[in-house]
Amino acid sequence: MTKHILMWKNALSFMLRNGLLATHNPGVKFLLEALKYLHRDTEVIPVIFCRYPFVLSLICKMAIFNSGSPSHPLANSDVSFWNVPRQPRISPAPVFQLTLRRPSLIEDTFRQLGAADHDYFQRELVVQFMEDMKLSLVNIRDFFLHAFEELLAPESEMFMYNDTKTLVWFPAKPRVEEKSYFLFGVLCGMALYNHNIVHLPFPLALFKKMVGVKPSLEDLREFDPVVGGSLRYLLEDYTDDDVEENLDMTFTVIWDDQKVELDPKETGKPVTSFNKNQFVDAYVNLAFNQSAEKVFEEFRRGFFKVCDRDVVELFQPEELRGVMVGKEDYDWDTLKQNTVYDGEYHARHPNIITFWEAFEELTDDQKKAFLLFLTGCDRAPILGMDKIQMKVAVLQNSTELHFPESLTCHFLLLLPIYPSKEMLLARLKEACAHNRGFWKE
């Protein structure tokens, strides 16, 4: 299709440049008609497929989303972190700039987002730190990494945690103003819009609600395995006679430290074999809908100020979570196979052989820390580790006293030459643990 369009455009351009409009008027008209039909077809085809997202692969969905969002902050790259090709930029796009103080990261972010024109949210994001006024490409991942760490920490008091402190949800009784959830939604939308994987330890229920899918008992089991497991046991394993006699359960439950009547019309209503399905449905609805309806709607409103709802709803819930959060499916052999080398380094260079031997001795957590050091994210892209191509080069003017460095925007590892594996391993661990390559404490 592109070849056809370019052919007709070139023909039209030639006729107009050479003053042939007067003598070849019908020909110009035919060319314009051809371009009109081609333009109409290229506009209509994606729309038709978007009405039937089940026929689209994940890569196609990501490409459709990518076509409506700004260029990734990696301005010199032809692909985003998702590794989906994007159209070349014809002219510089307008940007939305945040100028932030590191010690007041969330305060500054929320103040500037709150004062901004909402139309600016769909511009390419640029981040500048007051401590270092350079506009570095690394700042984007730096910003999202630390902003989400702060917002999702218990100290922010924005969310409730499950018993194991591994997942969060929106609170029944918020301790911060509702506007904060709108701005959090904007940040989540901006992360997706600018193609950054972020830390979002929510159950699948969040991503279901974002694409219009109703949360289920399985989602409650993910968030609270004890409660969810008990409810599933109630539905599947208890006989009709057992429910009322042995469980002594009522529609009065505790959620987020608050006592709630699942049936407001009847306080202390007993659970029986006849209403146990109603009880379970009401419990799930309380957890994911009723208890936090206002703050979730603020979050969703903020998110869709940035991202187009129709395009987001192309994704299945699992796909949307993977695109936004990445996945914990690490294939370190693939990372090694895809690595390329620059300058004097090559696959059989003694320092490279030593590096991979040292890498094998890292624990799983240390390898994830290395991935964070290299890419700015400790999770794998949803399309797999083969979408990360690490480049290794010598750190110029370095000695064995220097630590490895990284350029996360290019997946570039700058590795000094070390005299032994022990020293390389020690330096690598120290670099990953205390200097993530971009955030200077």
Side-chain angles (χ1 to χ4, degrees), residues 315-335:
F315 295 98
Q316 293 295 317
E318 296 84 356
E319 293 173 339
L320 182 60
R321 176 157 69 176
V323 167
M324 293 186 68
V325 182
K327 59 180 183 178
E328 292 188 320
D329 183 11
Y330 303 100
D331 185 345
W332 304 114
D333 289 338
T334 296
L335 177 68

Side-chain angles (χ1 to χ4, degrees), residues 68-136:
S69 60
S71 292
H72 190 270
L74 314 188
N76 297 322
S77 176
D78 294 327
V79 295
S80 70
F81 187 70
W82 293 342
N83 212 52
V84 177
R86 56 171 174 264
Q87 298 301 316
R89 183 188 300 177
I90 298 173
S91 59
V95 300
F96 176 51
Q97 181 168 323
L98 295 174
T99 303
L100 310 169
R101 298 166 295 169
R102 295 185 194 272
S104 305
L105 187 66
I106 301 303
E107 177 188 347
D108 289 356
T109 299
F110 277 11
R111 185 182 67 255
Q112 292 176 44
L113 289 179
D117 187 320
H118 292 176
D119 290 340
Y120 292 177
F121 296 157
Q122 292 190 331
R123 294 181 174 184
E124 181 178 340
L125 180 64
V126 172
V127 175
Q128 185 177 54
F129 292 110
M130 296 292 289
E131 294 81 359
D132 180 4
M133 295 300 288
K134 290 188 301 183
L135 287 175
S136 169

Side-chain angles (χ1 to χ4, degrees), residues 123-358:
R123 294 181 174 184
E124 181 178 340
L125 180 64
V126 172
V127 175
Q128 185 177 54
F129 292 110
M130 296 292 289
E131 294 81 359
D132 180 4
M133 295 300 288
K134 290 188 301 183
L135 287 175
S136 169
L137 300 177
V138 178
N139 288 356
I140 302 292
R141 292 184 186 171
D142 188 356
F143 163 68
F144 280 121
L145 174 71
H146 288 85
F148 279 90
E149 278 187 352
E150 286 192 33
L151 287 167
L152 292 157
E155 293 77 15
S156 77
E157 298 187 326
M158 283 189 65
F159 303 98
M160 62 174 286
Y161 284 77
N162 62 358
D163 289 341
T164 57
K165 309 298 182 186
T166 55
L167 293 173
V168 302
W169 190 248
F170 299 95
K173 192 174 182 180
R175 297 183 180 182
V176 301
E177 60 181 344
E178 287 183 4
K179 184 180 180 181
S180 296
Y181 296 95
F182 169 79
L183 297 173
F184 177 69
V186 170
L187 271 183
C188 289
M190 292 178 76
L192 178 60
Y193 200 68
N194 288 272
H195 309 154
N196 274 263
I197 294 176
V198 293
H199 177 58
L200 277 180
F202 284 84
L204 187 62
L206 172 70
F207 305 94
K208 283 187 173 182
K209 287 168 70 68
M210 297 305 291
V211 298
V213 176
K214 186 179 178 180
S216 68
L217 177 56
E218 288 305 304
D219 300 306
L220 185 57
R221 289 183 66 202
E222 180 188 8
F223 183 73
D224 191 331
V226 174
V227 171
S230 298
L231 294 178
R232 183 182 180 187
Y233 190 66
L234 170 67
L235 290 179
E236 298 180 358
D237 296 318
Y238 265 77
T239 64
D240 292 348
D241 295 336
D242 285 338
V243 174
E244 195 167 359
E245 293 180 5
N246 297 338
L247 287 185
D248 192 26
M249 294 177 63
T250 71
F251 276 62
T252 305
V253 300
I254 303 295
W255 181 259
D256 195 15
D257 298 325
Q258 294 191 46
K259 184 178 178 181
V260 181
E261 293 292 340
L262 295 180
D263 187 347
K265 297 180 180 178
E266 185 179 346
T267 302
K269 177 180 177 179
V271 179
T272 69
S273 58
F274 299 103
N275 64 24
K276 63 181 183 179
N277 285 285
Q278 177 193 352
F279 170 73
V280 171
D281 289 344
Y283 207 132
V284 173
N285 182 62
L286 169 71
F288 296 123
N289 299 314
Q290 180 185 335
S291 67
E293 184 176 4
K294 287 186 178 180
V295 292
F296 176 78
E297 286 305 320
E298 282 297 295
F299 164 79
R300 178 155 55 187
R301 187 170 69 89
F303 184 87
F304 287 122
K305 284 291 182 182
V306 186
C307 298
D308 187 287
R309 185 188 297 264
D310 291 336
V311 176
V312 170
E313 289 181 353
L314 293 176
F315 295 98
Q316 293 295 317
E318 296 84 356
E319 293 173 339
L320 182 60
R321 176 157 69 176
V323 167
M324 293 186 68
V325 182
K327 59 180 183 178
E328 292 188 320
D329 183 11
Y330 303 100
D331 185 345
W332 304 114
D333 289 338
T334 296
L335 177 68
K336 180 178 179 180
Q337 291 166 10
N338 286 351
T339 297
V340 296
Y341 304 95
D342 191 41
E344 67 179 274
Y345 278 155
H346 52 83
R348 300 308 301 168
H349 190 283
N351 205 49
I352 295 300
I353 294 174
T354 301
F355 167 77
W356 286 115
E357 290 176 351

